[in-house]
Amino acid sequence: MCVWEYDIVSGALSFSREFGPMFGYAESEIPGRIDAWEALVHPEDVGRSRTMMARHFRGDSEALDIEYRVRMKGGGWGWLHTVGRVNSRDARGRAVRMSGTHRDVTGMRQTGERLRLRELAIEAATNAIILVDAQAPDRPIVHVNRAFQAMTGYPTEEVIGRNCRFLQGDDREQPDLVRLRDAITRGAEATVLLRNYRKDGTLFWNSLRVSPVRNEAGTVTHFVGIQTDVTELKTYQLELEHRANYDGLTGLANKNLLTDRLEHASTVAQRSGRRFGLLYLDLDRFKLVNESLGHNNGDSMLKCVAARLKAAVREADTVARLGGDEFAVLLHELDNPAAVSSIAQKILRTLEEPLDIGNQQVFSSASIGICIGPDDGADADTLLKNADAAMYRAKGSGRNQLCFYTEDLNANALDRLRLDADLRHALATEAFELHYQPRVSLTTGAITSVEALIRWRQPGHGLVSPASFIPLAEETGLIVPMGAWVLRTACRQMRVWRDAGLRDLRVAVNLSPRQFRQPDLIRMIAGILDDEGLEAAYLELEITEGVAMHDPVNNQKVLEDLSGRGIALAIDDFGTGYSSLAYLKRFPIDYLKIDQSFVRGLPGDEDDENIVRSIIALAKTLKLTVIAEGVETEAQREFLRRYECDEMQGYLFSKPRPAAELSELLFA
Ligand code: C2E
Ligand code: MG
Ligand code: MG
């Protein structure tokens, strides 16, 4: 810094001796007059400095305070900060003398300029840039550039002071977030790829580079983040990935993805012990369709088949197209390997429905080979190979067939297949009949009700017991039409008895679990009663304990509806399931039927005696009529009567018999 004095009237200037070294001038080169001084000032700054000087002379400014460029001895320009003040005026107020200081601010100006340039660069950058305070709690944002707002939609004032995590919204489970946090705690650099969300909630992929900023002591004071929106690139990558994993025509998984899923299923199965199924499916005679109707129609057909396959399995299962007319289905977590054959049959049936292709109906069918994992192969390749081999065997044994890779499963499946086909045939040809077993009061001996029990008259086998076919019908769903047939036939018979004068009799019909779950159950029952002209009071429905307790909240509504219509309700096989007394009390139940397994040991078996006595006591408490099933001996009847069981059913009184044979008992 130097001090100067200016004689305004004469134009003489003088400087303290510090001035020379400031810009490299020798003593003799220092200007002594104002005009010589102005010759040193940068031409662009002369005008401004004169104006400011004149303003101060007029008294318009308190002091002169100006920065401007001055030629340096060696060439180039230095920056001078000049502050001065008039310290003497004449009688008319005109400035006569002034003095002040010069300060060399060249260095400062250069740094400032550099900073300004950097700031411009940051603002002009197309990448979003964020500056975060590394030392304040929760690392708040202290600066963002314009591109940040353009990229994220958040204006500056909404983000300053917040931690960056708001950019991820609720999508916090991202693998790269872990890496990012790790880098930040270590004060290291990192480049990560994150799913970020704009202010309007839309997703963008953010390729983020984070670098620490350290002070002279080496402490990390800030982090700089540079964000690049790579959404387009990522979308393209995802599309490529999709193409690598999905079939372009049908949108199903391709072989690649199926293989992955199979490997995964194998690993899971080895851990959980639960099996999975692999169906390998080949359309029969697809080549013919393709050649006769053209490739476009062939493609349409494959798409239809794909849609039907998807509709036939659960959401979680994988349907894949392996190429051409070959498909595969991976069935996860099977409760029962035999269920695979039901699903395969269901698929065969859905494919039997004609397809509308190019204005005509095309019939398709398929051959299916089945593998059960992990039994039939430890890895995807083996499983696919074995399922394929099974498929060829299925094709060989006639089309529209399925075949298991493992022989004994095959035999089992074939039996079941045959039984299923026979049952469908029996239903269509009315080969079922109903027998009726009376229930009698233990006090009066009167018949209160008859239970309808289905029988199958099978050529060559005589009457087949329901125990051998109801479980399969339940599994395949055939129980639904079969049960409707039972209900209709029983109601029709009851109508005949009623019309013949049996007004105190009711007919009891068993409802299977699957029937009970049908959403249109109530409509079905009401419809049949209506069709057959039978009042609801003549009908009883039996459900087992397990069915009633399976979904008690929902069941209560169904039971209340049925009961409200006047239909009596019985819990069948009581004692074999686990009843909640709370629900038992709440359900609008009329009867408890003690399972015959407990009656068998009466009298004498202490456990059975205790169980039967407890059930009777429970029924009395709940005000339910209690019935003993399977009563075969006089001693059993005696025991039941002694403990005040209300009714009994069993061979002692009568076996189930055809309606015609019962008349004798009923009209006695
Ligand atoms: P359930 O409803 O408990 O029927 C009673 C079963 O006990 C009948 O067997 C009946 O013949 C048998 N039984 C009756 N008295 C005696 C006896 O004194 N001693 C012995 N040992 N058994 C006796 P069935 O007719 O073979 O039926 C078996 C099961 O099949 C029935 O058990 C029922 O759960 C089911 N079922 C029968 N018909 C139908 C039907 O139409 N629909 C549905 N969903 N299930 C049915
Ligand atoms: Mg029953
Ligand atoms: Mg029973």
Side-chain angles (χ1 to χ4, degrees):
M1 189 169 81
C2 83
V3 181
W4 52 265
E5 272 196 343
Y6 175 29
D7 185 329
I8 300 160
V9 182
S10 71
L13 270 176
S14 62
F15 301 91
S16 65
R17 53 189 163 70
E18 291 89 352
F19 179 72
M22 224 185 253
F23 291 137
Y25 292 107
E27 193 85 6
S28 60
E29 294 166 315
I30 296 172
R33 298 192 52 80
I34 190 74
D35 40 358
W37 169 252
E38 283 188 342
L40 286 183
V41 175
H42 193 289
E44 283 175 15
D45 295 345
V46 173
R48 186 165 50 98
S49 74
R50 279 189 190 158
T51 316
M52 291 184 72
M53 195 85 108
R55 271 178 59 200
H56 181 58
F57 289 170
R58 283 200 307 274
D60 290 349
S61 61
E62 191 72 9
L64 175 73
D65 186 338
I66 180 172
E67 282 187 22
Y68 53 98
R69 285 161 288 181
V70 174
R71 188 186 307 285
M72 292 193 291
K73 174 70 187 173
W77 300 93
W79 279 91
L80 209 54
H81 181 201
T82 297
V83 182
R85 195 192 286 269
V86 171
N87 44 26
S88 162
R89 292 183 184 269
D90 64 13
R92 293 166 58 188
R94 280 180 304 204
V96 176
R97 290 182 70 82
M98 75 182 293
S99 59
T101 57
H102 287 317
R103 218 148 53 96
D104 177 8
V105 292
T106 314
M108 269 164 62
R109 284 298 290 224
Q110 279 169 353
T111 330
E113 185 62 15
R114 275 207 301 276
L115 281 177
R116 209 171 60 82
L117 272 173
R118 280 190 211 173
E119 194 147 309
L120 275 176
I122 288 177
E123 282 311 308
T126 48
N127 293 331
I129 296 172
I130 311 179
L131 195 61
V132 161
D133 188 334
Q135 298 196 314
D138 207 25
R139 300 193 185 94
I141 296 176
V142 291
H143 181 78
V144 294
N145 67 351
R146 272 196 300 258
F148 179 86
Q149 173 164 355
M151 189 178 291
T152 65
Y154 286 102
T156 309
E157 61 275 14
E158 280 186 33
V159 301
I160 299 297
R162 295 172 75 180
N163 180 288
C164 289
R165 74 175 71 86
F166 69 87
L167 286 172
Q168 282 101 50
D170 297 328
D171 192 357
R172 307 285 306 157
E173 298 287 318
Q174 303 189 36
D176 270 17
L177 278 180
V178 181
R179 287 185 43 225
L180 178 63
R181 268 182 233 123
D182 178 58
I184 285 181
T185 21
R186 286 189 298 117
E189 298 203 335
T191 304
V192 294
L193 183 64
L194 299 174
R195 285 187 298 275
N196 277 185
Y197 296 87
R198 299 188 185 91
K199 191 179 178 191
D200 64 10
T202 52
L203 170 94
F204 69 98
W205 286 92
N206 176 8
S207 168
L208 173 67
R209 168 128 194 104
V210 185
S211 319
V213 180
R214 294 172 194 278
N215 62 13
E216 293 83 2
T219 316
V220 176
T221 59
H222 294 83
F223 285 98
V224 186
I226 302 179
Q227 302 192 152
T228 316
D229 183 341
V230 292
T231 309
E232 269 180 41
L233 190 73
K234 190 69 194 170
T235 313
Y236 180 63
Q237 264 177 11
L238 289 174
E239 197 189 303
L240 284 185
E241 253 168 61
H242 188 86
R243 268 191 237 163
N245 284 320
Y246 291 88
D247 173 45
L249 178 67
T250 60
L252 296 178
N254 65 10
K255 187 164 177 183
N256 226 347
L257 184 57
L258 177 74
T259 307
D260 278 358
R261 300 249 168 103
L262 271 173
E263 295 293 357
H264 182 70
S266 295
T267 321
V268 172
Q270 261 135 33
R271 219 179 318 118
S272 71
R274 294 187 74 176
R275 298 189 158 84
F276 58 93
L278 174 64
L279 311 187
Y280 201 113
L281 189 147
D282 184 286
L283 297 184
D284 300 328
R285 291 179 291 264
F286 174 70
K287 238 178 108 197
L288 215 81
V289 173
N290 221 11
E291 281 164 7
S292 56
L293 298 182
H295 287 272
N296 278 345
N297 286 326
D299 284 357
S300 307
M301 178 161 169
L302 293 173
K303 282 197 241 179
C304 285
V305 168
R308 286 191 186 179
L309 288 177
K310 268 201 104 79
V313 300
R314 295 167 302 183
E315 189 77 41
D317 296 329
T318 302
V319 180
R321 179 168 170 237
L322 302 175
D325 61 345
E326 294 194 345
F327 295 85
V329 181
L330 169 59
L331 304 164
H332 292 282
E333 311 224 323
L334 299 171
D335 292 322
N336 165 14
V340 181
S341 68
S342 307
I343 296 170
Q345 281 169 55
K346 184 172 163 196
I347 289 176
L348 288 180
R349 273 201 299 279
T350 60
L351 293 181
E352 276 169 16
E353 299 286 317
L355 299 155
D356 288 314
I357 306 289
N359 297 328
Q360 50 181 311
Q361 288 204 323
V362 176
F363 289 85
S364 77
S365 66
S367 303
I368 302 182
I370 306 171
C371 252
I372 303 294
D375 315 50
D376 292 342
D379 57 76
D381 280 347
T382 316
L383 287 163
L384 279 168
K385 198 180 75 197
N386 292 345
D388 188 19
M391 187 275 290
Y392 269 99
R393 266 195 280 144
K395 259 210 195 314
S397 59
R399 286 151 208 273
N400 202 17
Q401 295 283 337
L402 56 87
C403 186
F404 276 86
Y405 177 70
T406 302
E407 268 315 323
D408 50 346
L409 273 179
N410 219 14
N412 200 321
L414 284 178
D415 283 349
R416 290 159 53 87
L417 253 183
R418 213 167 291 132
L419 180 59
D420 181 52
D422 288 349
L423 284 174
R424 282 170 202 276
H425 182 71
L427 192 62
T429 56
E430 305 247 339
F432 293 113
E433 54 190 67
L434 290 188
H435 284 195
Y436 298 87
Q437 185 177 38
R439 226 165 67 198
V440 290
S441 160
L442 276 162
T443 43
T444 67
I447 296 177
T448 54
S449 159
V450 291
E451 178 174 7
L453 296 158
I454 193 168
R455 300 288 179 264
W456 178 14
R457 191 167 291 284
Q458 206 184 11
H461 292 81
L463 279 185
V464 179
S465 140
S468 66
F469 62 85
I470 294 269
L472 183 72
E474 176 73 8
E475 200 180 292
T476 62
L478 190 65
I479 193 74
V480 174
M482 188 188 279
W485 177 86
V486 171
L487 189 70
R488 184 177 297 280
T489 309
C491 288
R492 189 169 296 165
Q493 180 60 52
M494 188 60 229
R495 168 83 198 264
V496 171
W497 282 325
R498 185 203 71 173
D499 290 350
L502 296 174
R503 306 233 161 216
D504 292 328
L505 188 71
R506 277 191 309 267
V507 71
V509 173
N510 293 285
L511 283 188
S512 85
R514 187 147 179 165
Q515 271 181 287
F516 192 71
R517 284 198 308 267
Q518 295 298 303
D520 65 346
L521 175 77
I522 290 170
R523 208 152 30 90
M524 187 271 287
I525 294 171
I528 287 178
L529 284 171
D530 208 38
D531 290 349
E532 300 305 326
L534 188 69
E535 294 78 7
Y538 287 99
L539 180 64
E540 275 177 31
L541 295 174
E542 298 190 1
I543 56 171
T544 57
E545 205 180 350
V547 173
M549 295 301 159
H550 173 65
D551 177 11
V553 178
N554 197 42
N555 288 350
Q556 182 164 355
K557 295 196 201 101
V558 177
L559 293 174
E560 266 161 10
D561 191 327
L562 291 170
S563 174
R565 290 165 191 265
I567 298 171
L569 300 170
I571 300 284
D572 203 355
D573 303 347
F574 189 79
T576 57
Y578 299 91
S579 281
S580 147
L581 288 186
Y583 282 113
L584 210 52
K585 189 166 141 235
R586 227 176 293 161
F587 286 165
I589 296 291
D590 306 282
Y591 302 100
L592 276 194
K593 297 185 77 174
I594 305 174
D595 190 67
Q596 49 179 279
S597 60
F598 306 114
V599 176
R600 212 166 292 143
L602 301 182
D605 182 307
E606 209 174 308
D607 288 341
D608 285 352
E609 286 188 359
N610 285 334
I611 290 169
V612 169
R613 282 209 309 265
S614 312
I615 296 178
I616 294 172
L618 174 71
K620 302 270 171 211
T621 314
L622 296 175
K623 303 198 167 55
L624 303 178
T625 302
V626 60
I627 299 149
E629 291 190 285
V631 180
E632 297 182 353
T633 67
E634 201 53 58
Q636 286 168 343
R637 181 185 7 213
E638 261 325 297
F639 181 94
L640 292 163
R641 214 177 350 222
R642 178 146 31 98
Y643 290 101
E644 298 184 352
C645 180
D646 300 304
E647 298 181 12
M648 68 160 197
Q649 180 179 342
Y651 295 168
L652 178 66
F653 184 74
S654 168
K655 289 201 167 192
R657 292 196 235 161
E661 279 182 33
L662 263 189
S663 303
E664 213 178 303
L665 278 175
L666 292 175
F667 293 97

